[in-house]
Structure formats: structure tokens, C-alpha cells
Amino acid sequence: MSTLSKVEPADATEPVAEVLAEVKKALGAVPNMAKTMAHSPALVRGWLALSGALSAGVIPAPVREQLALATAEYNDCEYCLSAHSFIGSKVAKLDPDEIERARHADSADPHVAALLALSDAIARGRGIVEDAALETARAAGVTDAEIAEVVGNLALNILTNYFNILADTDNEFPLVTPLAHA
């Protein structure tokens, strides 16, 4: 049972109906997370704005999905693991091995592996990382723009992880359980 209720688009009044329409226009559907976030249209708009801005950045969609998977695994967020495993597979076309590796902050691609390792180091250090972690990332070709966007993606993913954990959002995706709970 969810801690926060969903707001169904058909039952929503303004300004919630407007923000749910924005979600549908942006994503093609209204996931349960957005329906639950809709109690605060400002939160939904903030999530959409940051997500949209990062989608226009230098980190491509499949890598953003891998970053989301690594963060969701670290934070034990079943909803986000399920959603990003589904989106990673069906939309970003990640193969199952890369989805599994991302959950461990790893990839067969050395550049992507460096981005995931850096994101993991930032999350575990709560923003404090050893110089060696940055040097390793840069040695793998990670740019300053990518480093900045790793932080942005981490912030976006922590937002959705914490929200969905707190709200106990109803999961409409094929279930993926965090490894610590498997």
C-alpha cells in the first residue's frame, strides 16, 4: 500500500490536471511515479525540467539509463530499478548484460564504466571523492561536461529514488528487486 495516493488524470483538477498532461506529452504516458508526485505540481515540473535538460546534454540516453540503474541499486529503489530496467531494455536498447552490469556500476565499455564508477563514488562519498577517482575518470576520457552531468543525473535519480521509496509508489513495471533484497 502506497504511503502517498496516486492522482488519476481523469480525476485531477487544475493545476494537477495540467501537469499530468505535460507528463503525458513528454513521456507518452503517465507513470505511477508522476501520478503520485502530482500532489505537488512544482515537484513534477522540477523533475520534468531537470530530466529534459539532461536529455539534451552530452551523456546519451542509454548511459543515462545505466546511471539510473546504478543509483537505484545503490539506494535500494525497487520502483526505479524496475522502471529503468524496462526503459533501458525496451527504449534505450541496452542488452541484459549491460543492464545487470550497470546495477554494479560497471559496463563492458571502458568509458561508460568510468562514468558509472565516478557516479558511484560521488554517491557513496556524498559529493566527496578522492582525487584518484577523478584522475581515473579523466584517464578514461571523461570530460568536464560529463562530470558535471554525472552529478546532475545523480541528483535526478536520487530525487526519484527517495520519492518512490518514501511514497512506496505502486510499481507498474516488471519487478526488479534490489540485489540486497534478492
Side-chain angles (χ1 to χ4, degrees):
M1 173 66 66
S2 293
T3 305
L4 298 174
S5 61
K6 292 184 293 189
V7 178
E8 293 297 337
D11 301 328
T13 57
E14 294 302 327
V16 173
E18 180 183 321
V19 79
L20 291 175
E22 291 173 28
V23 171
K24 184 163 183 152
K25 182 178 178 186
L27 304 180
V30 182
N32 286 342
M33 179 185 78
K35 292 175 186 177
T36 307
M37 280 182 171
H39 292 285
S40 171
L43 176 60
V44 177
R45 286 190 175 106
W47 162 65
L48 283 175
L50 183 54
S51 180
L54 291 168
S55 73
V58 297
I59 296 177
V63 178
R64 291 193 312 275
E65 290 304 318
Q66 289 167 289
L67 289 165
L69 285 162
T71 306
E73 185 65 52
Y74 175 68
N75 286 320
D76 292 330
C77 183
E78 185 176 278
Y79 184 91
C80 292
L81 269 175
S82 300
H84 291 288
S85 292
F86 181 82
I87 295 165
S89 172
K90 303 296 184 195
V91 178
K93 305 297 185 194
L94 291 169
D95 68 51
D97 181 61
E98 280 299 294
I99 289 172
E100 183 61 28
R101 290 179 80 143
R103 293 178 67 183
H104 299 276
D106 190 25
S107 171
D109 180 308
H111 188 83
V112 174
L115 291 168
L116 291 165
L118 179 60
S119 179
D120 191 60
I122 294 166
R124 291 178 188 280
R126 296 182 311 271
I128 300 168
V129 296
E130 300 290 325
D131 289 343
L134 287 170
E135 290 168 10
T136 299
R138 286 194 169 107
V142 173
T143 66
D144 287 350
E146 288 173 315
I147 292 168
E149 288 183 23
V150 162
V151 174
N153 279 279
L154 189 57
L156 174 67
N157 293 318
I158 289 170
L159 165 68
T160 59
N161 291 175
Y162 287 10
F163 180 84
N164 288 307
I165 291 166
L166 174 73
D168 195 18
T169 304
D170 290 332
N171 184 7
E172 71 267 44
F173 300 98
L175 181 63
V176 178
T177 304
L179 296 171
H181 303 271

